[in-house]
Amino acid sequence: MDNPTIAPVPATPARTRKDGQALVHGELVLWEDKTWVDVCPVPCCCLAALCCSATSWTVTTLRIDKQSGCCGTTERTLDLRRVTDLSYQASACCCCCRGTVVVHAADKDTGEMNITTWNTKPMYHNLKTAWSRVKAGTAVSMADADGDGIADGDAS
C-alpha cells in the first residue's frame, strides 16, 4: 500500500500595509491615506503632491503612524494605549464629507495629531472602537498585574 502524500500547505504571506511594514498578530488596518492640508493650505495643497510633501497616515487597531516632511523624512508613531481622548469635527462644508479627527495623546511630545481629509467620520468611529478595546485590555491587564486571575485590589 502506498502512503498517500500530504500536499504541503502554502505559507500564509505576512500581511503588510501600503508602506510595506508588517502587521503584528491581531493588528488590523483601519485606515490608510495621504493628506496635504497640514503641509500647505487650500488651494496650494493641490500642488503638494508634486513637491513630495504629503503626509502619509496608517491607522491600525494598535497604533497611528504618521510619515511627513519632504519625501517622508519624519516618522511618528502613537500607541493607542497612550491616547487620552478623540474628537471629530466636520468642516464648514460638512455636506462635502470632509472633517478632522483629533487624537489627544498623554505625552507632551506628541500632544495631538490632526487628520484632516475626506471621509474621516467612518475612520473616526472605527478608531474610537479600537481605542475603547485597547483601553479595556489595558485596564484588565493592569488590575491583574501578578497574573493570578484576581485583581490586585480585591481582598477576596
Side-chain angles (χ1 to χ4, degrees):
M1 240 182 177
D2 288 321
N3 288 337
T5 58
I6 299 173
V9 177
T12 305
R15 296 177 301 157
T16 58
R17 307 169 347 170
K18 286 182 183 177
D19 60 6
Q21 293 184 34
L23 297 170
V24 298
H25 180 71
E27 183 179 23
L28 300 173
V29 174
L30 300 175
W31 182 79
E32 289 184 287
D33 209 347
K34 292 185 179 192
T35 60
W36 292 276
V37 174
D38 52 342
V39 178
C40 49
V42 175
C44 299
C45 64
C46 298
L47 301 174
L50 300 174
C51 303
C52 301
S53 60
T55 300
S56 297
W57 295 91
T58 302
V59 179
T60 72
T61 53
L62 299 178
R63 64 183 183 221
I64 300 171
D65 290 323
K66 176 183 178 182
Q67 189 176 15
S68 60
C70 183
C71 298
T73 54
T74 304
E75 291 188 38
R76 179 184 245 167
T77 298
L78 176 62
D79 189 321
L80 285 188
R81 294 174 295 184
R82 303 285 299 158
V83 172
T84 57
D85 198 17
L86 295 171
S87 60
Y88 172 79
Q89 181 177 6
S91 68
C93 300
C94 62
C95 59
C96 295
C97 301
R98 187 171 179 81
T100 301
V101 174
V102 182
V103 182
H104 302 274
D107 55 348
K108 57 186 170 186
D109 292 336
T110 305
E112 67 180 39
M113 292 181 161
N114 296 326
I115 306 172
T116 303
T117 190
W118 305 98
N119 297 317
T120 51
K121 195 164 191 175
M123 184 263 291
Y124 168 71
H125 289 292
N126 291 336
L127 180 58
K128 186 170 64 168
T129 301
W131 177 55
S132 297
R133 288 182 178 154
V134 166
K135 286 292 190 181
T138 302
V140 169
S141 64
M142 294 301 286
D144 183 23
D146 57 5
D148 62 359
I150 301 172
D152 293 335
D154 294 346
S156 47

